[in-house]
Structures are given as structure tokens and as C-alpha cells.
């Protein structure tokens, strides 16, 4: 538009519209913000669909092995807590429980509860029965006993070697809790400590064992159980287990792989050979410490960090390392 020209109404409206467009255009200058609309209200929750539920608790069924109603237990993370839960259900003291078996009320060492419970396993608690004293005289270096413990302070007999000194004493049975040696209480001792005490008893000098047998149901009276020599301690097959730990929380995990199962069995055999004990949970811990290690020194260091109290001899560690390697490389 030239100076002196008069603006028509149409031109005035067009110019105003153009100015409004310039005003509404986004600001290109740094730091300039464009006004925004007020926030929308939050969306309404979906009307249909099932409600979300928390993960159910792991509940196990249990009975006293000699006979009782069925109880339900949950919320335990180790063996001591498990015994306390069972004791609470049946209104007994936890110290009454000698050990537990899975899916069998009999004194069956193949079914002995160790560090793992299948999520569908039924737990039978074996409680204190009669107390008996037996005089023993060692006629050879080994008595023929294999000792294990219940994880809560009670050591008991897991295996009796056929033809051994103990085998000739018919009052001594698999499942008997060893309460005292020569009137010295061993309650609270671990299995390897009890095995060492028995090994140190001199030959041809009698000593006394005070034993507590599990309370028997009518169908078990008069039965002298002998543990089988193979496939020992296989608790579950093809499903998840609850892994009980002496330190830390219990965890749900898959059953052992074929390698872990074979290696654990070999280590358990070595524990019996060197220390006179069988302990699948201990054997499992040893295999877990060694399966990913590259050399014996790393294995020994890892084992010492988790099981230093055992003070395993070097020859035992060497044989365990060899057994794990043999299984891993398919030589067994």
C-alpha cells in the first residue's frame, strides 16, 4: 500500500486476519514457550477383566509318621523353621522331631528330607520313641556306620554296613538318633563331628551309645530298616523344588540337571568314604561351588568361603575336583 491511500474495509479485515496469523504462529526464538491446553483428566479404569491376585503361599501337607491327622504348614525358610511349624500344628516341641521323610511314613533313607522339598511332596515327621543303651566294642577300625544329621542338632544313623561291628548289634537300627557317647551328650553336634568321635574310640575297649529310635507305627514294629546302596536321596523328578538354606531365604528352583545330579551323588559317596557321613545338601553345595571353576585352587578358595568350618583335607578336595571333572567330561 502506498502512502496517502485510503484502506478499504475489506483490506482492513484482511490485514487484521494476517496479523492474527502472525500472532498465532509458533515462536521460533530460543526460550519462548507456547501456551498449552489444561491437562486432560485421567482415564477411567477398565471396567472388565479378572482382578489381580498375589502369588499364593507355598503350602505343604504334613503328618506325624507314626500316625496323625493331616496338617498344613507354610512360611518356613530352613529346617529349624520347618520343624517349628510342624510342631506348632501338632502341639509338640520341635525337639521331639528327629527327622522328616518325603512321601513315605517309613524310616526310608532314600526319602529323607534334605535341603530340597518338591512343591507337591508330603512331609512325614518322625518323632522321638524309646531310648536304649548299647555297649559297643570296636574289633576293627571302622564300626560300619554312616552318620547324617537333621540340620537342627540331631545326628542319626543313615546306613549300616552289612557284616560290620554295628550290624552284629541287632538293637541298633537305621534312623536311630545318637544322643550320647559314654554319657557325653552330642546333641547339637554336626554329623562329621559325631563320625570323628566314633572313629577315635579305641579298639577292644567297650563304650556306650545312647540311642533314641523313631516312634513306630504298628506296621513298622519289629522292622530293621537297611538303607539301599544306590539312587540315594532322589527326592523329586521333573518339577520344581523348594531349596532350604541354612543362611538366607528359601528359594524355588528347578530340579538338578543330569550333570548336577550325577556329580552330587559322586561327592556324597566321597563324603562317606572320607568322613563317614552322607549329606546330599552338603554335596550339592560342594558341586555348586566347583562346577564353574577353572582349576583346583579356585575351587578350594570358593569352597573355603562357604564351608570353611569343615576344614576338608587336601586329598578330599583333590578327589572331589576330579569327580566333578569326570562327570562334566562324560568319563563317568
Amino acid at each position: 500500500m502506498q502512502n496517502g491511500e485510503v484502506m478499504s474495509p475489506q483490506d482492513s479485515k484482511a490485514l487484521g486476519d494476517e496479523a492474527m496469523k502472525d500472532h498465532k504462529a509458533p515462536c521460533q526464538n530460543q526460550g519462548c514457550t507456547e501456551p498449552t491446553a489444561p491437562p486432560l483428566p485421567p482415564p477411567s479404569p477398565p471396567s472388565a477383566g479378572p482382578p489381580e491376585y498375589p502369588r499364593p503361599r507355598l503350602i505343604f501337607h504334613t503328618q506325624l509318621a507314626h500316625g496323625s491327622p493331616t496338617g498344613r504348614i507354610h512360611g518356613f525358610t530352613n529346617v529349624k523353621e520347618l520343624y517349628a511349624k510342624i510342631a506348632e500344628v501338632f502341639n509338640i516341641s520341635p525337639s521331639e522331631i528327629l527327622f522328616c521323610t518325603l512321601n513315605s511314613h517309613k524310616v526310608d533313607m532314600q526319602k529323607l528330607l534334605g535341603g530340597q522339598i518338591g512343591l507337591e511332596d508330603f512331609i512325614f515327621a518322625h518323632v522321638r520313641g524309646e531310648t536304649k543303651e548299647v555297649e559297643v566294642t570296636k574289633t576293627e577300625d571302622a564300626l560300619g556306620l554312616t552318620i547324617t544329621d537333621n540340620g537342627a542338632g540331631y545326628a542319626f544313623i543313615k546306613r549300616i554296613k552289612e557284616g560290620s561291628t554295628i550290624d552284629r548289634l541287632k538293637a541298633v537300627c537305621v534312623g536311630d538318633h545318637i544322643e550320647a557317647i559314654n554319657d557325653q551328650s552330642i546333641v547339637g553336634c554336626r554329623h562329621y563331628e559325631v563320625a570323628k568321635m566314633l572313629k577315635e574310640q579305641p579298639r577292644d575297649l567297650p563304650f556306650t551309645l545312647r540311642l533314641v529310635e523313631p516312634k513306630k507305627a504298628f506296621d513298622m514294629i519289629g522292622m530293621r530298616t537297611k538303607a539301599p546302596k544306590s539312587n540315594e536321596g532322589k527326592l523329586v523328578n521333573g518339577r520344581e523344588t523348594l531349596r532350604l538354606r541354612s543362611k538366607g531365604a528359601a528359594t524355588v528352583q528347578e530340579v538338578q540337571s543330569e550333570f548336577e545330579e550325577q556329580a552330587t551323588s559322586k561327592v556324597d559317596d566321597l563324603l562317606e568314604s572320607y568322613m563317614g557321613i552322607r549329606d546330599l545338601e552338603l554335596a550339592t553345595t560342594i558341586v555348586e561351588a566347583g562346577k564353574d571353576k577353572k582349576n583346583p585352587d579356585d575351587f578350594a578358595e570358593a569352597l573355603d568361603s562357604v564351608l570353611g568350618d569343615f576344614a576338608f583335607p587336601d586329598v578330599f578336595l583333590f578327589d572331589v575336583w576330579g569327580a566333578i571333572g569326570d562327570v562334566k567330561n562324560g568319563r563317568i
Side-chain angles (χ1 to χ4, degrees), residues 42 59 67 70 78 92 97 133 143 145 181 210 222 224 228 231 237 242 250 265 295 300 317:
I59 297 176
T70 298
N78 56 52
I92 61 175
I97 301 174
E133 289 199 352
L143 287 169
L145 280 179
I181 301 174
R210 185 163 74 240
R224 190 170 194 261
N231 298 326
N237 183 21
L242 180 68
S265 177
N295 57 67
L317 296 179

Side-chain angles (χ1 to χ4, degrees), residues 121-139:
D121 283 340
F122 199 108
I123 303 170
F124 290 90
H126 298 254
V127 301
R128 294 173 65 95
E130 295 184 4
T131 300
K132 53 195 177 185
E133 289 199 352
V134 180
E135 186 176 273
V136 183
T137 302
K138 287 179 71 173
T139 56

Side-chain angles (χ1 to χ4, degrees), residues 60-133:
F60 296 87
H61 293 86
T62 183
Q63 287 182 359
L64 300 180
H66 63 278
S68 76
T70 298
R72 289 154 57 92
I73 56 174
H74 61 85
F76 53 90
T77 61
N78 56 52
V79 172
K80 288 184 179 180
E81 291 180 7
L82 167 63
Y83 288 1
K85 293 289 185 180
I86 295 174
E88 182 180 353
V89 167
F90 297 113
N91 196 27
I92 61 175
S93 168
S95 63
E96 289 291 302
I97 301 174
L98 297 181
F99 56 87
C100 293
T101 50
L102 300 176
N103 307 315
S104 174
H105 70 284
K106 298 181 179 181
V107 181
D108 184 347
M109 295 296 107
Q110 280 191 311
K111 304 294 185 180
L112 188 67
L113 185 151
Q116 299 185 47
I117 307 173
L119 300 188
E120 299 176 4
D121 283 340
F122 199 108
I123 303 170
F124 290 90
H126 298 254
V127 301
R128 294 173 65 95
E130 295 184 4
T131 300
K132 53 195 177 185
E133 289 199 352

Side-chain angles (χ1 to χ4, degrees), residues 266-280:
K266 294 300 296 182
V267 172
D268 201 30
D269 289 343
L270 289 170
L271 284 170
E272 181 176 28
S273 176
Y274 278 91
M275 304 176 67
I277 63 174
R278 293 193 81 88
D279 187 331
L280 281 170

Side-chain angles (χ1 to χ4, degrees), residues 229-241:
K229 296 182 179 180
S230 62
N231 298 326
E232 187 165 285
K234 187 174 182 180
L235 304 183
V236 293
N237 183 21
R239 48 193 167 90
E240 290 181 319
T241 64

